[in-house]
Amino acid sequence: MEPVVLRTERLVLSPARLDDVDHATALLQEPVMATMLASLPWPYTRADSVHYIGTMVPAGWASGDALSWAIRESADGPPLGDISWRPPRGDVGYWLGAPYRGRGYMTEALRAVVDWVFARTPELDRVGWEAVVGNVASARVARAAGFRYDGERPVEIDFRDGTRPMGWHGYRLRDDDGGVHAGWPL
């Protein structure tokens, strides 16, 4: 599949580029990333970023198995974070660098990706989400983007140590209006 650029009122979502490597690597040095994004290598190095941006992102788009966008304030701006749609799993994943949190950017990006997924996949009725129990920031974004809370159970992605800790799970239905749903554990 050819990469797609998505635009919102304040953001441009476009595949990461090799000139994003240093900025993305710096954002991923925050210690909370080691626990909340525990499927990533840790410590996260420049080589890890080069591999992700130079190999995994293009391969994911080519196969259609992992569609990933860097979140930017402008087309030529640095990445603020990353958001991915993983069709085989039917879910989204995301992270945002600390300097860019608290502005509603991730909720805006998540809404754009989910809207795009539903528009291009008419047979799909549901998009999933999960985060490690305690990742309140991720849960707040999912809740604000209209996801419904679906309970606590082990995460579906193996962590770097091979474990699958407890996670919060949610989903958004095609027919949902994007409003906030009750029942979230926060």
Side-chain angles (χ1 to χ4, degrees), residues 36 38-39 89 130-133 152-159 163-169:
M36 298 303 166
S39 61
R89 292 174 32 87
E130 74 175 10
V132 175
V133 167
E152 187 175 309
R153 61 183 178 275
V155 297
E156 296 177 15
I157 295 177
D158 288 337
F159 277 33
T163 64
R164 289 188 177 189
M166 293 304 285
W168 287 330
H169 296 261

Side-chain angles (χ1 to χ4, degrees), residues 4-164:
V4 173
V5 174
L6 303 176
R7 296 178 189 280
T8 71
E9 183 178 324
R10 302 179 298 161
L11 302 171
V12 176
L13 309 180
S14 61
R17 310 176 295 252
L18 284 175
D19 64 345
D20 294 333
V21 164
D22 291 327
H23 194 75
T25 303
L27 292 176
L28 287 164
Q29 298 310 301
E30 182 183 6
V32 71
M33 298 298 189
T35 56
M36 298 303 166
L37 299 176
S39 61
L40 291 180
W42 193 262
Y44 193 80
T45 67
R46 187 178 194 284
D48 295 322
S49 195
V50 168
H51 176 70
Y52 176 71
I53 292 171
T55 302
M56 294 179 68
V57 169
W61 278 99
S63 70
D65 287 343
L67 312 181
S68 176
W69 293 267
I71 301 163
R72 307 172 194 282
E73 292 175 308
S74 65
D76 59 348
L80 316 179
D82 189 86
I83 187 166
S84 298
W85 162 241
R86 301 171 291 219
R89 292 174 32 87
D91 75 349
V92 291
Y94 47 82
W95 64 267
L96 193 66
Y100 310 107
R101 294 182 196 142
R103 301 179 196 180
Y105 285 163
M106 188 53 77
T107 301
E108 190 173 325
L110 180 56
R111 286 179 182 276
V113 169
V114 170
D115 289 349
W116 178 81
V117 167
F118 283 140
R120 76 173 287 277
T121 318
E123 70 280 6
L124 186 72
D125 292 324
R126 172 185 173 124
V127 170
W129 161 89
E130 74 175 10
V132 175
V133 167
N135 190 341
V136 173
S138 184
R140 284 183 178 153
V141 166
R143 181 182 64 188
F147 281 66
R148 299 167 183 262
Y149 182 66
D150 193 30
E152 187 175 309
R153 61 183 178 275
V155 297
E156 296 177 15
I157 295 177
D158 288 337
F159 277 33
R160 74 181 73 80
D161 64 2
T163 64
R164 289 188 177 189

